[in-house]
Amino acid sequence: MKTPFVLHIDIDAFFAAVEVMLNPYLKGKPVIVGGMPDERGVVSTASYEARKYGVHSGMALRTAGQKCPHGIFVRGRYHVYSRISEKFIACLTRFSPRVEAVSIDEAYIDLSGNRYLHSSVYALAEKIKKTVEREIGLSVSVGLGFSRLGAKLATEAAKPGGLFMVADEKTFISNLTLEKIPGIGNHTLLILQAMGIKRVKELERAYPAIWKRTIAPHFYSQSRYPAAREAKTKSFSRETTFPEDITDRDMIVSHLAYLVDRLSVYLIDHDYFAGRVEVKARFSDFSTYTKRMPLEYPTYSYNNIWSKALFLLDQLIKKKKLPLRLVGVKVEDIASQRDLLPFISIRSEQLSRGVSDIKRRFGFSSIFTARELLLEKIYPVERDAIVLKTASLTK
DNA sequence: TCTGGGGTCCTAGGACCC
DNA sequence: TCTGGGGTCCTAGGACCC
């Protein structure tokens, strides 16, 4: 008899549960996190009491206000949530080194290494659940399966606050309706429904080729294991939806400047360089356009990002003669200093001026080019920092 | 009824090169 | 006068997730 070895764990109604923990007066009440019911925005999380009124994540706040007029609306305190999330992940790591955090309130654990140490995986899962709940003070749901997909779907069946183990994963999944399958969203669902398919097993029977490409890989491929990888973030973005749509270009421009400033500070604080910038505009009719372009060289400089962003914005707002609802900016092709070492010489013009300035002020040996560093076979972090930061000052 | 903000991944189509 | 086939790189946009 085979034993499930992938565990999925999920904090119940996370944001709302944190608010209740911090303010016990909210206990048992319909709590809705995301903003005020007269604001533009959507529900982040609704407590189970609020869900009884049909309120759910992603719903417009105004709609939630109508469905649940006596609901208690709170703005999110995201820094608090992320601190609790860190505690949550740290706690899980004590049970297995192979923990894959997939979002702020959700993780997979590969127990295949531990399972012989314990009489039963189920008992181990119970222990993990109890420990986490005690340490973070919130209720969690836990699923056990033979793949990430199976474990996640088991958690869904366990909610709220339960523990569910699938014994026959393939049958379990085959019987589910398609909207339960992560990765199948509204669009795909509509197409499949139009084809007369509601459950996974119907897909398998009627369109085995599609089933083989979409569902089957979860059972057999590498994707069934929790990934030990440290996921590297590939892009950073900041965006704002205005309280009211705006037409004034100066106003739009100053919002964009603020967003670019925030991004630039973030990049500098984390020692990241961006290779490309994208600007996003959403008009009053909700139509959304984006434009992107490479930066001349990897940079975190406000000015470099700003000049491209402004150019892209002007192209975007020409698209429609409508007020703007949202403006956003994103940087991609993120590199760290280390990644950039081999490419330094490409920016020789920019480099040389800055380098010479520094040499003049601090003496010839105060700074080296990357090429010199490579020749010496030395990669001391401090020196990398001097070379690269100088490069970005020269524009 | 009105639809956030932060991400990931995939695809279609054009430009360009050999 | 009619023009291949492939590969690669790039951008825009869509689908999806929490």
Side-chain angles (χ1 to χ4, degrees), chain A residues 116-189:
Chain A
Y116 303 108
L117 302 175
H118 298 266
S119 51
S120 126
V121 194
Y122 193 87
L124 175 59
E126 272 183 322
K127 190 177 163 197
I128 293 173
K129 182 174 183 311
K130 283 212 180 84
T131 308
V132 170
E133 287 178 335
R134 194 179 55 236
E135 290 194 14
I136 65 169
L138 300 169
S139 155
V140 300
S141 301
V142 174
L144 281 167
F146 296 90
S147 68
R148 292 156 87 256
L149 179 66
K152 188 177 168 77
L153 293 168
T155 300
E156 284 308 310
K159 278 181 185 179
L163 165 58
F164 187 80
M165 179 164 87
V166 288
D168 181 351
E169 188 171 278
K170 208 178 150 253
T171 309
F172 173 67
I173 293 174
S174 291
N175 283 313
L176 293 174
T177 50
L178 287 161
E179 79 255 17
K180 301 241 183 197
I181 306 299
I184 298 186
N186 221 292
H187 186 86
T188 312
L189 201 62

Side-chain angles (χ1 to χ4, degrees), chain A residues 66-138:
Chain A
Q66 282 163 6
K67 292 203 176 249
C68 190
H70 59 292
I72 299 169
F73 288 78
V74 292
R75 281 204 182 78
R77 289 183 273 182
Y78 297 92
H79 54 282
V80 178
Y81 310 149
S82 56
R83 232 186 302 126
I84 295 172
S85 176
E86 280 166 25
K87 248 172 96 179
F88 169 62
I89 301 301
C91 178
L92 299 179
T93 313
R94 298 210 306 271
F95 291 94
S96 164
R98 289 196 291 279
V99 172
E100 179 189 356
V102 281
S103 77
I104 194 160
D105 66 344
E106 210 188 325
Y108 293 99
I109 310 179
D110 188 338
L111 296 177
S112 54
N114 312 44
R115 69 186 139 148
Y116 303 108
L117 302 175
H118 298 266
S119 51
S120 126
V121 194
Y122 193 87
L124 175 59
E126 272 183 322
K127 190 177 163 197
I128 293 173
K129 182 174 183 311
K130 283 212 180 84
T131 308
V132 170
E133 287 178 335
R134 194 179 55 236
E135 290 194 14
I136 65 169
L138 300 169

Side-chain angles (χ1 to χ4, degrees), chain A residues 271 273 300 336-342 344 347 351 366-374 377-392:
Chain A
D271 259 318
F273 293 71
Y300 48 58
S336 63
Q337 299 190 164
R338 188 28 113 31
D339 302 330
L340 291 171
L341 256 188
I344 290 302
R347 311 195 317 230
L351 259 179
S366 63
I367 186 163
F368 295 94
T369 65
R371 195 163 273 149
E372 285 170 298
L373 290 176
L374 290 168
K377 291 204 176 89
I378 45 170
Y379 297 86
V381 172
E382 319 84 66
R383 287 192 177 178
D384 295 354
I386 290 167
V387 170
L388 287 153
K389 286 191 174 160
T390 304
S392 68

